[in-house]
Amino acid sequence: MSPMFDYAHLKALSIVVSQGGFDKAAKHLYISQSAVSQRIKQLEDKVGQALVVRASPVYATEMGKRLLRHYAQVQLLESELRTEMNVDDPSLPTIVRIAVNADSLATWFLPALTEVFKRHKWLLELVVDDEAYTHHLLKSGDAVGCVTTSQSPMAGCSSEYLGNMEYMCVATPEFITHHFAQLPQQPDSILTAPAVVFSTKDKLHDKFLNFYFGINEGSTREHKIPSSESFLEAITMGLGYGLVAHLQARPLLESGDLIEVFPGKRMQVPLYWQHWNIKAKQTTIVYRSLAATARHLLINPE
């Protein structure tokens, strides 16, 4: 019985989407652009609908994303099978794609996985996004697992609790003296003092101000700095105040470089590991490593 899909066609689809175009995919696959187009067309004829939107850059349709997820799962299982059969092919390394939020990446994530990837000689490919959005990358097939705030597992996936990341609202002593000297007598200073937020996707600062002070989204002044390291640097340089993860904040609080703006007022963000429900040891080993490190570094309320 012939396979349902020609995996050379699925590979072409994967490369077209990852490279963002047919010309770049052709160069990557060492074939002509017309050959790439023909493979995609044959695949679309097979499923009876478009798999990519031919824009600039090219991107996958919903059905295209489903096929890409299937192809990524097959690749993961085949790499595991090669290992079990002791078939060592350096041209076909095991690539494990994981979606993770920037704060985890900057603190506890890499220490949790480094030894595992070195020992198994796997290649790690990270996609960084806000923790509230990483599970969408799992759904689209762009990752085999993700660190997310979403507890409910998506269809075909499992969800495992890792622990909480605690965020403290901090600033330099000089910034507090200049902007918040009259707190709590003059709470309006929160509206005028510049805050530092990670990006437009990051709503944690808005949730913090709304929960503790009833301040609505869009009422404050914000610097948007989408880099975990530069975000923290901006706060330590006195550009603004902001919510910093406890693993980054504590050493700076202990040294006196930063001070809590609102002592005792903190936000806890639960993190979960979601992964595909396929029998691949990579996702199991990755979860065990993440969970072991999370138990020591994240906050686990009893």
Side-chain angles (χ1 to χ4, degrees), residues 8-44 50-61:
H9 293 172
L10 287 176
K11 181 177 181 179
L13 174 64
S14 176
I15 299 300
V16 165
V17 173
S18 65
Q19 296 293 314
F22 288 82
D23 183 54
K24 291 182 179 179
K27 293 177 181 177
H28 187 91
L29 293 168
Y30 300 103
I31 59 178
S32 67
Q33 183 174 337
S34 62
V36 175
S37 298
Q38 186 177 22
R39 291 182 185 183
I40 302 301
K41 181 65 167 59
Q42 289 173 346
L43 197 55
E44 289 177 328
L51 299 177
V52 296
V53 176
R54 289 160 173 79
S56 183
V58 171
Y59 61 93
T61 64

Side-chain angles (χ1 to χ4, degrees), residues 6 12 15 28 33 63 83 105 136 167 190 218 225 248 261 269 278 284 297:
D6 184 326
I15 299 300
H28 187 91
Q33 183 174 337
M63 179 55 72
T83 301
L105 180 58
H136 294 297
Y167 288 82
I190 300 173
I225 303 180
Q248 293 175 303
V261 181
V269 176
I278 59 174
T284 300
L297 297 181

Side-chain angles (χ1 to χ4, degrees), residues 108 112 161-164 289-300:
W108 66 276
Y161 174 68
L162 292 171
N164 289 3
S289 299
L290 291 177
T293 300
R295 278 195 297 270
H296 293 289
L297 297 181
L298 298 185
I299 294 173
N300 292 273

Side-chain angles (χ1 to χ4, degrees), residues 81-94 120-121:
L81 183 60
R82 288 195 303 272
T83 301
E84 292 175 354
M85 295 174 65
N86 199 27
V87 179
D88 187 15
D89 186 348
S91 69
L92 296 171
T94 297
H120 292 279
K121 298 180 180 179

